[in-house]
Amino acid sequence: MTPKKKKAALVTGGAGFIGSYLAEELLSQGYRVYAIDNLSTGSLDNIKGLREHPDFNFVVGSIMDEPLMERLVAVSDMIFHLAAAVGVRLIIERPVDTIETNIFGTGIVLKYANRYDRPILITSTSEVYGKNEKTPFRETDDSVYGPTIKSRWSYACSKAADEFLSLAYYHEKKMRVTIVRLFNTIGPRQTGRYGMVVPTFVKQALLGHDITIYSDGRQTRSFCDVRDVTPAMITLINTPKAYGEVFNIGNNVEISIAKLAEMVKRMTGSQSKIVHIPYDKAFEKGFEDMRKRVPDTTKARNLIGFQPKIKLEQTIRDIISYYRQ
Ligand code: UDP
């Protein structure tokens, strides 16, 4: 009997925080992996442990490079599209790049996935709900954005445009496309460079710097361990009932940012001061933050049994030991 040929998965943004965990999970499930990353926010450090793996193929390049994307899509059986400008801070600092990567880049990836008839998983974000104050968010809830003169909304809008385009491909071209809206995802290797709160607090606590809570700290988030997120992504792309659907993926245990700061301080044994900084100083004048953000993950639970297992304390413990090393 000839051994079954391994399936190949393409991960765009494969050297990013989530992309690198996804690549690792795919390899451990017996896939061959092609990863592409332009190393703008991703890093070779993230994939250090994978480079030697015989089934891991890494390409430094841009998803805007159409001939390259076509070659990579052609040799892959499925596509996980994660390459994107991440987070609201980057959008404020580099708006043109961010909007173009998120909209045109996704357009290119979808075009070739369609041409070669490959299933594709598009990673979107809880930002898509905008400043809708409903909790928890269900996939059918409204997106509520501010005016275009506030650049922070361009991140949400660019990702929403990706979702519209993906769903259009599903309806018009019968493409096998699934959308996941990732809520706050954390784990070792995530950098605080782009503002993400958990690695920022851990680094500040370990270095004895002030722990910087923006505003009153009563805003809440629910954090999900990346190691709970990536297996769900693989299950979803292999689930035909998920095609043409949008799924919230995240944890629904809520914590305020002030509580999070105390927790990090306690768990690191840090002497850092916890301080409050107004949004205007941290971002730009008139910055609007979400007060609450919790996913309703019933849809993913019903279809694929999605249920995060790793507790916040455990993830933070792992992040602390990652930074201590
Ligand atoms: N935040 C904070 N201090 C920081 C970084 C972030 O208080 O140093 C707050 C931020 O204003 C937000 C929450 O923590 O209310 C989560 O921020 P993050 O950027 O991690 O994710 P997102 O805003 O996308 O949920």
Side-chain angles (χ1 to χ4, degrees):
M1 215 172 75
T2 46
K4 232 172 111 199
K5 199 167 162 280
K6 286 187 171 185
K7 284 208 164 168
L10 171 62
V11 181
T12 72
F17 162 58
I18 301 175
S20 61
Y21 275 94
L22 176 63
E24 195 175 334
E25 180 65 27
L26 283 161
L27 290 168
S28 79
Q29 293 191 20
Y31 289 83
R32 282 189 298 124
V33 173
Y34 291 95
I36 174 171
D37 203 299
N38 68 358
L39 301 179
S40 60
T41 55
S43 78
L44 294 177
D45 258 2
N46 283 340
I47 50 170
K48 216 168 42 196
L50 307 178
R51 297 296 289 276
E52 302 299 310
H53 196 295
D55 291 327
F56 184 71
N57 308 277
F58 180 65
V59 180
V60 180
S62 166
I63 55 167
M64 308 283 249
D65 179 344
E66 292 202 32
L68 174 62
M69 281 317 294
E70 177 161 15
R71 282 202 303 279
L72 288 170
V73 168
V75 295
S76 303
D77 297 294
M78 62 187 71
I79 299 148
F80 295 88
H81 178 45
L82 285 79
V86 287
V88 169
R89 179 168 295 279
L90 205 61
I91 263 270
I92 292 171
E93 285 167 8
R94 297 217 318 262
V96 174
D97 248 19
T98 321
I99 298 171
E100 290 191 346
T101 310
N102 288 5
I103 296 182
F104 303 147
T106 301
I108 289 167
V109 179
L110 281 166
K111 175 169 122 183
Y112 289 104
N114 177 55
R115 187 170 294 172
Y116 288 85
D117 189 25
R118 303 292 193 252
I120 179 166
L121 185 121
I122 300 284
T123 41
S124 184
T125 161
S126 55
E127 274 281 321
V128 161
Y129 295 104
K131 53 181 168 177
N132 186 340
E133 289 184 351
K134 190 175 166 284
T135 56
F137 286 125
R138 295 192 62 168
E139 289 83 351
T140 46
D141 285 333
D142 286 343
S143 298
V144 183
Y145 303 142
T148 52
I149 48 167
K150 291 196 177 169
S151 60
R152 68 105 65 231
W153 298 115
S154 62
Y155 179 62
C157 282
S158 69
K159 294 301 254 183
D162 289 350
E163 292 196 16
F164 279 123
L165 186 59
S166 306
L167 294 171
Y169 267 104
Y170 169 77
H171 288 294
E172 206 178 309
K173 318 270 187 194
K174 310 287 169 256
M175 211 170 114
R176 292 169 287 170
V177 47
T178 306
I179 296 163
V180 290
R181 288 187 186 145
L182 302 184
F183 283 64
N184 296 68
T185 306
I186 58 169
R189 299 208 294 262
Q190 184 177 38
T191 138
R193 216 177 311 146
Y194 309 104
M196 280 70 184
V197 68
V198 174
T200 301
F201 281 4
V202 170
K203 253 198 257 177
Q204 290 170 334
L206 289 175
L207 293 169
H209 297 168
D210 289 352
I211 299 177
T212 54
I213 295 177
Y214 299 158
S215 182
D216 61 7
R218 297 221 299 267
Q219 69 271 38
T220 69
R221 292 295 186 271
S222 44
F223 297 96
C224 191
D225 194 298
V226 65
R227 295 161 289 190
D228 276 327
V229 170
T230 53
M233 295 168 81
I234 301 171
T235 308
L236 279 172
I237 208 171
N238 287 302
T239 304
K241 277 201 174 132
Y243 300 150
E245 298 287 340
V246 180
F247 295 89
N248 288 337
I249 294 291
N251 203 323
N252 41 28
V253 181
E254 220 179 328
I255 184 170
S256 74
I257 297 304
K259 279 245 165 65
L260 177 76
E262 280 162 26
M263 189 170 160
V264 169
K265 183 173 158 142
R266 177 173 43 79
M267 289 178 68
T268 47
S270 169
Q271 300 298 313
S272 291
K273 259 199 334 225
I274 295 180
V275 301
H276 291 257
I277 296 179
Y279 287 128
D280 283 7
K281 275 231 177 83
F283 293 97
E284 59 181 0
K285 211 167 153 30
F287 182 83
E288 293 176 77
D289 194 17
M290 282 71 181
R291 296 303 293 170
K292 268 171 164 289
R293 179 183 279 156
V294 189
D296 180 332
T297 50
T298 309
K299 189 172 169 186
R301 190 173 62 243
N302 287 347
L303 187 66
I304 62 162
F306 174 70
Q307 183 66 55
K309 292 184 195 71
I310 308 170
K311 295 251 178 330
L312 181 59
E313 286 79 2
Q314 182 59 51
T315 308
I316 292 183
R317 215 173 294 135
D318 293 347
I319 295 172
I320 293 169
S321 52
Y322 167 76
Y323 274 116
R324 282 220 165 102
Q325 278 166 27

